[in-house]
Amino acid sequence: MSTAASALQWFYHEFGLASLHATGRNGYLIILARTCRMFAYGTNALFLAIFFSALGISDHQIGIFMTLTLVGDVFLGTLLSLVADRIGRRRVLLGGSFLMITSGVIFAYFENFWMLLLGAVVGVISITGGDFGPFRSIEESVLSQLTTPSTRSDVLAWHVSTPLIGSSIGSEVSGRIVHWLQSKDGWSEIDSYHALFGIYAAMGFVNLALVSLLTEECELQQQDSSYTQIPQGENGITEPEPQIEPAPMLDYPANKSPWFAKAWTWLSTQLAQISAPTRSVMYQLWFLLAVDSLADGMVPYSLTNYFLDVNFHPAKSTLGDVTSASYFLGALGATFAGPLAKKIGLVNTMVFTHIPSSTAVLIFPFPPYFWMAAALLLIRAALNSMDQAPRTALIAAVVKPGERTAVMGITATIRTLAAMAGPFITGLLAGGSHFWVAFVAAGVCRLAYDFGLYGLFINMKLDQHNTAPMTQVAGNHAGSRALDEEMELDSIVDSDDYSVRSLDLDPKVSSAAGLKPPSGFEHPRARSRSPHRATE
């Protein structure tokens, strides 16, 4: 085999292209849909505040608009993620596409503040360039279901890196389009911004078309009731399956109105779907993610660019180029997250790539020259996205498949709620001539998240809930999933003298699970393929 062919084969496997191919058509469609969506977010996020300023809307109203938009994203994303598995994930994604189209049309034609606010709160609009709303948590849940533990981090890394390239292109293209339109006769500044939102609505139609091509395989797959897993302890002795207690129902105050009582009861019922072991793990992770999101909300790219503009007064085109380069480096860094996670593990990848990024945030306000501050921004951006795919893979590895959509939806909600407080804090500091303190505080919070994550999760066992039988696997990725599940779940019948608990296996259950006792044994014994048994 030639050197070039060997290099291509190495790249194909090392960078997760083999894992993406094994996931099948649905994986490609989801990643392409998010890339188009992030392109749309990139076309308007940098100019959104400028658009409102051109309309004569005050800075105070702009702040109210952004806050209420995030609040709308929280409620919309949480609501749809909690019901997605019940009413259908594809239906929810289709509904989100229609909301995205609605927002784009409203912003393309209307200039009234309250009408625009309605379009942003009820619809789907990105005020920061990030992927808020109902899409991401559901897509991550689908991809976690379509992949195996060995391929999941690779596929999720592509789900992060490729859309970031879309954001980079969208940011660059939007600047060129606005400049070109404003140079033409008959086009005002406001008209050029309306045109960008027309592109946003068009990308909503593209997202709608791609989502409509997803197959039934994307929906929650119910476990086969005829399949029985035999849990094994590390010493080979069978252990009873722990009983999972549902979350307690929350009592609503008696003096509340009936509609609120029904809403409270409904929300409690949805949260009760998350088991106690999952909650005990996620409470710790949710707290850490809230700290990290608060830090990110204090110094988003929009406020970071504003800090550069105030302190160094670069050309606006230069700021746009730096932002576009930041998105591109973020995409490049996210591409390496999958291969790195396979080498050093999910938690190590999240921590040791995020620490340099956090340090860059901490020292960002101190360089005396623009090029030095821009370099720190690029370092921050290049490494900041490398923890996203491993984080999603970590969540998928510690929760049950049927809980993933709800857990990821709640995770996105907590992150958004925490980020909402960030701009308010930074505004107070900037108003008091202490803008630089925001970056120092954000860097400290990010480092606290990094060290807390390492201390709490480095020794946690992952993928303890992969109990789906191999017979449920379909499509062109059956081979890779079957191999992983064979290594994790397969048990064989043995008649040696090792002392284990006898199990009476129903013949129907044994057949469904692929366990066939040899003749002559009325009470077979099961042993797991584990390194502890192999050494005895």
Side-chain angles (χ1 to χ4, degrees):
M1 184 179 294
S2 64
T3 304
S6 299
L8 288 175
Q9 185 178 18
W10 174 85
F11 182 85
Y12 179 74
H13 290 280
E14 190 69 18
F15 284 85
L17 291 176
S19 300
L20 183 59
H21 176 72
T23 305
R25 186 186 74 170
N26 290 317
Y28 289 111
L29 290 173
I30 289 173
I31 292 175
L32 182 58
R34 186 171 187 235
T35 301
C36 294
R37 202 165 62 247
M38 293 296 287
F39 174 89
Y41 295 160
T43 59
N44 70 82
L46 293 178
F47 291 100
L48 189 61
I50 300 176
F51 171 64
F52 279 108
S53 178
L55 293 176
I57 296 174
S58 67
D59 293 341
H60 176 66
Q61 287 179 303
I62 293 175
I64 293 176
F65 171 87
M66 292 188 174
T67 299
L68 293 179
T69 300
L70 287 175
V71 171
D73 289 335
V74 167
F75 283 100
L76 180 65
T78 303
L79 173 65
L80 294 181
S81 63
L82 288 175
V83 302
D85 288 340
R86 178 178 301 176
I87 67 177
R89 295 169 176 173
R90 291 175 296 171
R91 291 180 179 177
V92 172
L93 293 176
L94 287 172
S97 300
F98 280 112
L99 293 177
M100 181 178 176
I101 295 170
T102 301
S103 295
V105 171
I106 290 176
F107 274 75
Y109 286 99
F110 292 94
E111 298 178 1
N112 178 268
F113 174 79
W114 299 107
M115 192 67 186
L116 295 175
L117 180 61
L118 177 66
V121 173
V122 178
V124 176
I125 201 79
S126 175
I127 64 173
T128 63
D131 194 2
F132 294 102
F135 295 105
R136 183 172 179 174
S137 59
I138 297 175
E139 289 176 344
E140 289 173 342
S141 180
V142 171
L143 290 177
S144 298
Q145 175 177 298
L146 295 176
T147 54
T148 64
S150 64
T151 63
R152 186 170 296 137
S153 60
D154 286 335
V155 175
L156 291 173
W158 282 105
H159 186 246
V160 172
S161 60
T162 307
L164 283 176
I165 294 178
S167 294
S168 177
I169 297 174
S171 299
E172 187 69 24
V173 168
S174 62
R176 306 301 177 188
I177 291 177
V178 168
H179 177 75
W180 176 68
L181 291 177
Q182 292 181 3
S183 66
K184 298 184 65 176
D185 293 335
W187 282 84
S188 65
E189 180 182 7
I190 296 177
D191 292 336
S192 64
Y193 298 142
H194 279 310
L196 291 182
F197 291 108
I199 298 176
Y200 185 92
M203 287 296 103
F205 280 105
V206 174
N207 192 85
L208 177 66
L210 293 173
V211 169
S212 65
L213 296 176
L214 296 175
T215 67
E216 182 67 26
E217 195 177 11
C218 296
E219 304 296 347
L220 178 64
Q221 302 297 316
Q222 299 296 331
Q223 299 290 340
D224 188 354
S225 59
S226 63
Y227 175 75
T228 300
Q229 181 192 23
I230 304 177
Q232 302 288 330
E234 292 189 356
N235 59 356
I237 300 177
T238 59
E239 299 174 348
E241 183 77 14
Q243 297 296 322
I244 306 300
E245 296 182 0
M249 296 292 293
L250 302 178
D251 294 329
Y252 63 88
N255 59 346
K256 298 296 181 181
S257 58
W259 69 267
F260 182 83
K262 294 179 180 179
W264 186 273
T265 303
W266 177 86
L267 179 61
S268 300
T269 303
Q270 300 301 320
L271 294 177
Q273 298 176 5
I274 302 177
S275 61
T278 297
R279 295 197 311 273
S280 65
V281 173
M282 291 307 302
Y283 285 154
Q284 303 174 61
L285 185 58
W286 282 335
F287 174 77
L288 293 175
L289 290 176
V291 173
D292 180 57
S293 297
L294 173 63
D296 288 340
M298 293 177 67
V299 289
Y301 285 137
S302 57
L303 291 179
T304 301
N305 285 336
Y306 178 64
F307 179 86
L308 292 174
D309 184 62
V310 170
N311 287 273
F312 301 104
H313 308 290
K316 296 298 187 293
S317 59
T318 303
L319 283 177
D321 292 338
V322 171
T323 302
S324 179
S326 299
Y327 280 125
F328 178 78
L329 289 177
L332 190 63
T335 303
F336 287 91
L340 187 62
K342 291 191 293 186
K343 297 293 185 182
I344 67 175
L346 296 175
V347 176
N348 284 331
T349 301
M350 294 172 65
V351 172
F352 294 112
T353 61
H354 205 252
I355 286 178
S357 178
S358 303
T359 305
V361 174
L362 179 67
I363 64 177
F364 177 79
F366 301 114
Y369 302 107
F370 172 77
W371 68 268
M372 297 176 65
L376 289 175
L377 175 59
L378 295 178
I379 292 174
R380 166 192 169 185
L383 299 175
N384 193 58
S385 299
M386 292 189 70
D387 75 321
Q388 293 185 21
R391 180 179 66 229
T392 304
L394 176 67
I395 294 175
V398 299
V399 305
K400 294 182 178 181
E403 299 173 341
R404 285 172 183 162
T405 302
V407 168
M408 290 179 180
I410 294 174
T411 302
T413 299
I414 291 174
R415 288 177 57 82
T416 306
L417 284 173
M420 285 171 54
F424 176 76
I425 296 174
T426 302
L428 292 178
L429 293 172
S433 301
H434 299 296
F435 203 164
W436 63 273
V437 177
F439 291 92
V440 175
V444 171
C445 289
R446 286 165 60 101
L447 288 171
Y449 158 78
D450 296 330
F451 294 125
L453 184 69
Y454 186 84
L456 292 175
F457 289 90
I458 186 61
N459 294 319
M460 180 167 292
K461 294 182 179 180
L462 306 179
D463 298 306
Q464 300 296 307
H465 304 298
N466 290 296
T467 59
M470 288 182 290
T471 56
Q472 292 180 353
V473 181
N476 60 358
H477 60 289
S480 60
R481 185 189 288 265
L483 177 61
D484 284 326
E485 294 191 354
E486 180 182 3
M487 296 299 294
E488 295 180 13
L489 305 175
D490 190 23
S491 60
I492 61 176
V493 178
D494 190 16
S495 58
D496 60 9
D497 294 333
Y498 189 78
S499 176
V500 298
R501 185 183 307 170
S502 297
L503 296 176
D504 293 326
L505 297 180
D506 183 80
K508 295 182 180 179
V509 175
S510 300
S511 177
L515 303 177
K516 297 182 178 180
S519 59
F521 289 88
E522 183 177 355
H523 298 285
R525 305 175 187 271
R527 64 185 177 96
S528 64
R529 291 179 181 174
S530 68
H532 300 281
R533 287 284 295 118
T535 56
E536 295 179 351

